Amino acid sequence: MYDFNYHKPQTVKDALSLFKEADDGIYLAGGHTLIPAMKVRLRAPTDVIDLSGVDGLIGIREESGALVIGALTTHDTVATSEVVARAIPALNSLAASIGDAQVRNRGTIGGSVANNDPAADYPAGVLALGATIKTDRREISASEFFTAMFETALEEDELIQSISFPIVESAAYIKFPNPASRYATVGVFISRHGGQVSVAITGAAATVFRCPEMEQALSDNFAEVALDSIQLNADDMNSDMHASAEYRAHLCVVMAKRAVASMS
Amino acid sequence: MVQQSIGERVLRKEDLRFITGKGNYTDDINLPGQAYACFVRSPVAHASINSLDISAAAGADGVIAVLTGQQVAEDNLGSLPCGWMVHSKDGSEMKQPFHPVLATDKINYVGEPVAVVVAETYLAAKNASELVEVDYEEIEAVVDISSAQSAADIYPEVPGNTVYQWELGEKADTEKAISQAAHVTRISLTNNRLIPNAIEPRAAIADYNTGTQDLTLYTTSQNPGLARLILTAFVQIAPEHKLRIIAPDVGGGFGSKIFVYSEETALAWASMKLGIPIKWTAERSESFLADAHGRDHVTEVELAMDDEGHFLGLHVKTIANMGAYLSTFASAVPTYLYGTLLAGQYKTPNIYVEVDAVVTNTAPVDAYRGAGRPEAAYLLERIVEIAAREMNLDPVEIRRRNFIQPADFPYQTPVALEYDSGDYEASLNKALEMADYAGFAERKEEAASRGNKRGIGFSCYIEACGLAPSQVAGSLGAGVGLWESGEVRVNPTGTVTVLTGSHSHGQGHETTFAQLVASKFGISVDDVEVVHGDTGKLDFGMGTYGSRSLAVGGSALSKAADKVIAKGKKIAAHMLESDVENIDFEDGEFKVRESNQSKTFQEIAFAAYVPHDYPLEELEPGLSEKAFYDPENFTFPAGAHICEVEIDPDTGVVDIVKFTAVDDFGTIINPMIVEGQVHGGIAQGIGQALLEQCVYDETGQLLTGSYMDYCMPRADDLPNFDVGMTCTPCTHNPVGAKGCGEAGAIGSPPAVINAITDALGVMEIEMPATSERVWRAMQQAGGA
């Protein structure tokens, strides 16, 4: 790790101004992507702005039909939250499937979503549930948020403060983990509300995406058999030493069926 | 006094310090004034070095020196040697590229060290290492093992990139048996390349004392004595009596810490050059790049049978990847530790094996848990299983028909080895019972009702351990003897200090050896202390690998203990006024036969050091004895592994639902420790079969350079293991032990793959049998 300046602001305003003053600043949430990258010298920020002291970024609450999770809430907190369990239990199991206990005790929802790793779990939930990302300056809808691999609609210094998930009738997340990293080789999040079905898939392509073929089929008939004839185009899928594009395309359908089965 | 005998589950004496953080590993050691080293490593696989500019690094903050391959060459250090000469079919010696401590003008694999920065802190060394400017002119890399022999030569001295073309067995007889056989089964298979991943990365501190001119090297070695010999006699770092190697607590080796590497050697040299202690601890990324890897064979096999499935002939043709250089024992692994094992547990009358060893632009490949024997067991147990299917025989039945029977021992195989003892059917029968083979069909049906494919696979492996009879090894090309040393020092109060040339890096020697010696003397295990891993304290010894420690090192201690007892009898005879012939030693007492006269072990020990009533005219005082034990033969642990899997037809995910291992390790000192060794070995074998794969891309970049991509088995990947034992003692060593350290990694991979192919109804699938490979096999078989 190279030397860097460490800051621990107490307000969002201070965090923003520290970021502006830095040559090459970066926000630190749980750090479970950033710190390993710094340790192997792939990232070398001049200034690390630790958000763990900023007031108001941690917590889970239900608020006018939505589940609101503070950006610095850890995966473990979400995984074990009774509020989440009452509102959107699929988010409990999504959070519980991330990494291992150590990672879940440090990693945060805001960090995961802002990083937009193509194999991260949260983006699938955020997109399928049509969540709203509330930042220091605006609200961004999930459909506008995830723009490309490791890229989001966030401005360079923009800070996520919370994520608001509409509470749906039912939802499920099923993932096929990479056996080495346990990130999602494919992860499928399905939500169902008022006859509308949303399907978001992570791990399979450059960034999380909605799957209109599955949504249409499941809106017509919410059953596993509805997905029997779905064949996703492997051309759009990731291919690496762990899984070919063709296998990923196949797994998307299998995981989607399992999600449907768990909701039926 | 608690006396613990051979065969008891004594808790490990070493565990208190390990589980309470009181171990003393190399990285725990810090010397006054020590500097830190960081290696500059090549980012490319194959290149000429046009220039190397160290000026910026040498001037950086905290930097003491930047040393390069050029300076190593100027100091005339030798090539890092390969200790086993293998000859080709035509009688020529193997071709060895010069293996420099630091590269000079040519790079041959990614991660090869080209310079070492020594600085006041590790951070300063690492920062400066990035300032070393190397101009690499890249050359097309040779990576693929199958095409290596037709690729451009990496070294002019290794034409065709071929190190040797070795053979063993009778070619003409085997070809004849195959051409005339009623049935021939043929397969091609790959034994996947693995990265060892000991939990403690390699580390060293070199400490040269300019006053005494003594060089001390603390390092993570499985064999400090052997390392000293190589560094002094071959690399010529220092005279042997001036080099002390200390391998303190070491956190796992699996073979990867047998070898003498560039980094530890460079550190020793740099400390002498600079006159200061220098420390280096590998980062995990360095372990991936620069620890010797394992396996990496491609093989074609033919097995000829008569119409009843009796084996008539076996022909094996293998290409073995050596990587960029020949590591310390690399040449022996795919030859004498591989070809000689191809009889397995079977009476195959004709066997012929050919092995071409090739160099490639990848990290060196050397012994890794099992070393050659997993590769042999894998191909043999795969082809036997496939042969059974082709012949419509039960896989158990085909094995029974071909087993070497108990009455056949000693059994001379057609591939040089003579097995001393074994009862293969006994292990298999016990395993079949434990695994409830009879109930398998029902379990398969039940799994099918849940939509899963269930399969069962067998593996009846053998290994040759207890390395090795020195003269046999020497006649086959070994550059060293393979005996072991041991010393039993009885202290005046009757406690015992045991010194061994074996090295424990997780195997539990401090308990097993203590138990062995304590039971010899009838004393408590707590009264025996085992010392190992320090050439300054011990006689020259050969170390730990090849499941040899108890069979060879333990036998040396057994013999030394016998000498103590023999001397004790003389002392007792004097004190008890009897003849030595009339003294018996049992349960910790020297007794005059047919009398009530006796002296305890402790009384005799005291008398030996306070010799007031003592036969000084004919006996020296003291009670300390040594033995060097050179085995008469290899030992032949063997066993039967049975694996049962369920496969999810939608994803191809394999779940090992039941794993049974019944092993014959001869006499067992501590069953708990042995079971632990078996568990660890099976975990590694399942890792190889399902998860682990070292991947280089076509340019020689290591793609599996971290745990994000290199898949180590985790606890939740593994089932509960059912482990059982049978016992035919080794006939030629005093302990009766055969060795247990590698068996799990040898026996398990073919059992897993046989179970998967059985479940899928296909003949072949490559390791690691990833979910995608399994899914594709189902697609091809039309079963998904």
Side-chain angles (χ1 to χ4, degrees):
Chain A
M1 196 179 286
Y2 296 104
D3 286 350
F4 57 88
N5 299 313
Y6 174 80
H7 309 275
K8 193 171 180 183
Q10 293 184 343
T11 64
V12 169
K13 195 175 157 223
D14 287 351
L16 292 171
S17 63
L18 283 163
F19 191 96
K20 281 205 177 68
E21 287 159 19
D23 280 346
D24 181 15
I26 193 156
Y27 294 121
L28 173 71
H32 270 50
T33 300
L34 176 62
I35 302 291
M38 287 173 68
K39 281 174 80 173
V40 296
R41 301 187 161 204
L42 290 172
R43 306 281 304 255
T46 58
D47 293 77
V48 171
I49 301 149
D50 181 354
L51 302 174
S52 66
V54 176
D55 273 350
L57 296 183
I58 295 174
I60 300 172
R61 64 182 190 278
E62 209 183 308
E63 193 176 87
S64 43
L67 177 72
V68 181
I69 303 179
L72 252 61
T73 309
T74 65
H75 307 321
D76 183 68
T77 303
V78 175
T80 55
S81 161
E82 286 178 17
V83 178
V84 174
R86 279 196 303 273
I88 310 174
L91 287 177
N92 290 117
S93 56
L94 179 149
S97 79
I98 299 172
D100 52 29
Q102 290 91 330
V103 168
R104 290 193 291 276
N105 276 313
R106 294 291 308 173
T108 67
I109 187 171
S112 171
V113 169
N115 190 48
N116 193 21
D117 188 308
D121 299 289
Y122 265 125
V126 170
L127 188 60
L129 291 166
T132 301
I133 291 91
K134 185 171 182 301
T135 76
D136 59 86
R137 65 202 67 169
R138 58 179 169 153
E139 292 186 349
I140 310 172
S141 73
S143 58
E144 312 279 307
F145 187 82
F146 302 106
T147 53
M149 183 187 289
F150 292 110
E151 284 180 27
T152 67
L154 291 171
E155 288 170 28
E156 204 187 28
D157 63 335
E158 191 170 4
L159 263 182
I160 299 178
Q161 291 191 297
S162 64
I163 298 171
S164 174
F165 297 91
I167 294 171
V168 295
E169 287 162 13
S170 63
Y173 177 66
I174 303 285
K175 95 190 214 189
F176 188 88
N178 174 318
S181 69
R182 308 247 167 136
Y183 273 81
T185 297
V186 164
V188 178
F189 198 107
I190 299 183
S191 84
R192 191 179 184 201
H193 194 73
Q196 289 297 308
V197 177
S198 294
V199 179
I201 301 178
T202 188
T207 188
V208 63
F209 64 93
R210 292 263 299 263
C211 184
E213 302 102 299
M214 288 191 194
E215 292 177 351
Q216 185 59 55
L218 290 171
S219 296
D220 295 345
N221 174 20
F222 195 81
E224 286 178 75
V225 291
L227 300 174
D228 279 348
S229 58
I230 302 276
Q231 277 200 317
L232 298 187
N233 188 350
D235 294 347
D236 304 329
M237 300 281 170
N238 295 333
S239 190
D240 55 37
M241 70 179 123
H242 300 291
S244 67
E246 191 186 357
Y247 184 50
R248 276 192 165 87
H250 168 75
L251 287 176
C252 288
V253 178
V254 176
M255 295 303 115
K257 284 184 178 180
R258 289 183 182 178
V260 170
S262 77
M263 293 163 70
S264 304
Chain B
M1 186 178 74
V2 185
Q3 189 194 318
Q4 286 124 337
S5 311
I6 284 175
E8 289 187 31
R9 295 172 176 268
V10 178
L11 292 180
R12 300 198 337 159
K13 287 160 67 83
E14 46 271 79
D15 282 346
L16 180 61
R17 75 172 187 276
F18 290 151
I19 65 179
T20 58
K22 302 293 184 188
N24 185 38
Y25 296 88
T26 299
D27 192 60
D28 293 325
I29 298 166
N30 292 293
L31 302 178
Q34 88 191 358
Y36 296 81
C38 181
F39 289 88
V40 178
R41 296 181 183 278
S42 171
V44 296
H46 198 194
S48 301
I49 298 178
N50 284 339
S51 65
L52 178 67
D53 182 358
I54 61 166
S55 54
D61 279 354
V63 170
I64 296 163
V66 181
L67 303 173
T68 66
Q70 196 56 45
Q71 288 161 290
V72 172
E74 283 162 11
D75 284 359
N76 292 314
L77 293 195
S79 172
L80 294 172
C82 178
W84 202 299
M85 172 54 68
V86 171
H87 290 81
S88 285
K89 294 170 190 171
D90 64 6
S92 63
E93 294 190 342
M94 67 184 188
K95 311 293 188 293
Q96 279 192 78
F98 188 89
H99 187 175
V101 174
L102 297 173
T104 50
D105 51 2
K106 174 94 190 291
I107 289 300
N108 295 302
Y109 68 97
V110 166
E112 182 168 6
V114 296
V116 57
V117 178
V118 180
E120 288 162 8
T121 64
Y122 181 65
L123 186 63
K126 181 148 182 164
N127 286 342
S129 73
E130 295 178 354
L131 303 174
V132 174
E133 285 182 26
V134 190
D135 178 11
Y136 299 103
E137 186 169 321
E138 284 197 62
I139 307 167
E140 191 173 350
V142 179
V143 179
D144 175 54
I145 177 173
S146 298
S147 58
Q149 290 171 294
S150 53
D153 292 348
I154 300 172
Y155 306 98
E157 63 270 35
V158 188
N161 294 319
T162 303
V163 175
Y164 52 71
Q165 295 185 294
W166 178 82
E167 65 177 350
L168 182 67
E170 294 298 330
K171 181 178 186 182
D173 293 350
T174 305
E175 284 177 349
K176 191 174 160 201
I178 290 170
S179 69
Q180 295 177 352
H183 184 82
V184 181
T185 295
R186 294 184 170 86
I187 56 170
S188 304
L189 42 79
T190 299
N191 205 286
N192 42 326
R193 183 178 179 121
L194 305 175
I195 302 178
N197 283 299
I199 196 165
E200 180 202 20
R202 285 192 286 129
I205 308 176
D207 179 21
Y208 183 66
N209 183 318
T210 52
T212 64
Q213 297 173 356
D214 288 321
L215 174 64
T216 304
L217 180 66
Y218 302 84
T219 186
T220 48
S221 176
Q222 300 179 214
N223 31 236
L226 189 63
R228 187 181 66 171
L229 180 68
I230 290 171
L231 285 173
T232 55
F234 295 93
V235 188
Q236 298 182 328
I237 285 278
E240 194 170 9
H241 64 296
K242 299 302 262 182
L243 174 60
R244 177 179 179 186
I245 296 191
I246 300 173
D249 286 332
V250 174
F254 312 110
S256 71
K257 291 169 181 168
I258 298 171
F259 322 121
V260 173
Y261 289 92
S262 289
E263 293 86 354
E264 293 84 336
T265 308
L267 222 61
W269 166 75
S271 178
M272 293 181 78
K273 211 169 175 62
L274 303 174
I276 50 170
I278 307 172
K279 183 174 192 171
W280 167 74
T281 301
E283 297 185 12
R284 183 58 68 182
S285 311
E286 295 183 278
S287 304
F288 277 100
L289 288 171
D291 284 2
H293 296 174
R295 318 278 191 258
D296 211 359
H297 287 191
V298 294
T299 295
E300 290 175 14
V301 199
E302 297 173 293
L303 176 65
M305 286 159 283
D306 68 15
D307 53 13
E308 293 178 325
H310 295 107
F311 304 156
L312 303 174
L314 178 74
H315 181 196
V316 175
K317 174 92 180 73
T318 292
I319 304 174
N321 193 354
M322 299 280 99
Y325 297 106
L326 297 190
S327 174
T328 312
F329 281 124
S331 56
V333 175
T335 51
Y336 296 106
L337 294 175
Y338 170 70
T340 52
L341 273 301
L342 290 170
Q345 300 186 354
Y346 310 113
K347 284 194 280 194
T348 313
N350 301 289
I351 300 175
Y352 177 65
V353 50
E354 303 166 271
V355 179
D356 288 4
V358 300
V359 285
T360 58
N361 294 116
T362 62
V365 178
D366 205 327
Y368 170 64
R369 201 170 194 171
R373 290 150 292 168
E375 295 91 315
Y378 183 66
L379 76 85
L380 199 54
E381 291 305 293
R382 286 291 296 123
I383 200 163
V384 165
E385 193 88 12
I386 292 169
R389 292 175 197 169
E390 289 181 354
M391 301 286 287
N392 287 317
L393 283 171
D394 185 286
V396 172
E397 176 57 25
I398 200 170
R399 288 176 167 91
R400 286 194 204 280
R401 282 186 195 179
N402 289 283
F403 276 152
I404 299 160
Q405 296 299 319
D408 297 329
F409 294 100
Y411 176 80
Q412 177 63 53
T413 72
V415 276
L417 297 176
E418 187 189 86
Y419 300 166
D420 64 332
S421 66
D423 186 344
Y424 307 135
E425 207 142 11
S427 300
L428 179 58
N429 287 339
K430 185 167 181 176
L432 288 169
E433 193 176 315
M434 286 169 59
D436 184 24
Y437 184 41
F440 173 70
E442 204 173 303
R443 295 194 294 278
K444 187 178 174 77
E445 203 173 309
E446 188 278 328
S449 75
R450 288 182 281 112
N452 282 353
K453 293 170 182 285
R454 192 156 176 137
I456 193 165
F458 301 87
S459 162
C460 294
Y461 74 93
I462 192 162
E463 48 173 333
C465 298
L467 311 182
S470 292
Q471 291 182 353
V472 175
S475 72
L476 300 178
V480 292
L482 285 160
W483 44 266
E484 193 50 273
S485 63
E487 184 174 345
V488 174
R489 290 182 191 163
V490 183
N491 303 311
T493 57
T495 64
V496 178
T497 303
V498 167
L499 299 95
T500 174
S502 296
H503 186 274
S504 185
H505 32 280
Q507 294 89 344
H509 294 171
E510 289 170 44
T511 307
T512 302
F513 288 178
Q515 216 172 329
L516 175 69
V517 172
S519 73
K520 277 270 185 190
F521 295 153
I523 61 176
S524 165
V525 169
D526 294 337
D527 287 343
V528 183
E529 190 70 15
V530 177
V531 176
H532 63 94
D534 184 347
T535 64
K537 293 179 180 170
L538 309 169
D539 276 310
F540 182 41
M542 300 309 300
T544 287
Y545 37 83
S547 303
R548 71 190 299 272
S549 293
L550 183 61
V552 188
S555 291
L557 292 174
S558 176
K559 293 186 74 160
D562 286 341
K563 292 181 187 178
V564 167
I565 292 168
K567 186 171 180 181
K569 284 182 179 177
K570 290 181 188 170
I571 301 169
H574 173 88
M575 293 173 74
L576 297 168
E577 296 177 353
S578 176
D579 291 329
V580 70
E581 292 76 26
N582 286 334
I583 304 289
D584 293 325
F585 180 68
E586 55 186 24
D587 297 335
E589 292 199 332
F590 294 90
K591 295 175 181 165
V592 179
R593 201 169 303 137
E594 292 166 4
S595 85
N596 60 1
Q597 300 266 5
S598 67
K599 289 282 177 190
T600 64
F601 180 77
Q602 291 78 7
E603 286 173 314
I604 295 299
F606 192 75
Y609 291 95
V610 186
H612 298 163
D613 177 15
Y614 195 90
L616 279 171
E617 59 284 358
E618 60 199 56
L619 210 56
E620 294 172 5
L623 196 56
S624 178
E625 297 287 353
K626 291 179 179 184
F628 286 72
Y629 176 76
D630 200 287
E632 285 173 32
N633 191 0
F634 297 88
T635 61
F636 300 97
H641 287 196
I642 302 177
C643 177
E644 215 166 304
V645 299
E646 273 195 28
I647 293 170
D648 174 351
D650 295 330
T651 60
V653 167
V654 174
D655 183 17
I656 298 179
V657 289
K658 199 170 170 61
F659 197 100
T660 309
V662 174
D663 301 290
D664 176 0
F665 300 134
T667 304
I668 286 171
I669 307 295
N670 186 323
M672 180 196 72
I673 287 178
V674 169
E675 285 165 12
Q677 290 285 306
V678 172
H679 285 201
I682 295 172
Q684 271 173 295
I686 290 174
Q688 170 162 29
L690 294 183
L691 304 168
E692 295 184 51
Q693 174 72 59
C694 169
V695 182
Y696 284 96
D697 74 8
E698 67 281 1
T699 68
Q701 288 295 333
L702 180 65
L703 299 183
T704 49
S706 82
Y707 295 125
M708 291 295 280
D709 292 310
Y710 189 85
C711 186
M712 291 292 284
R714 293 172 168 90
D716 65 359
D717 293 315
L718 303 169
N720 195 34
F721 304 131
D722 295 323
V723 176
M725 305 285 162
T726 57
C727 180
T728 60
C730 170
T731 61
H732 55 80
N733 70 44
V735 182
K738 296 184 175 184
C740 68
E742 297 162 294
I746 295 168
S748 58
V752 174
I753 297 299
N754 287 339
I756 293 169
T757 53
D758 178 56
L760 299 179
V762 302
M763 290 297 184
E764 298 181 35
I765 194 162
E766 291 283 15
M767 295 194 293
T770 60
S771 53
E772 175 159 6
R773 280 187 172 151
V774 172
W775 175 71
R776 287 192 180 279
M778 286 189 288
Q779 301 290 302
Q780 279 159 18

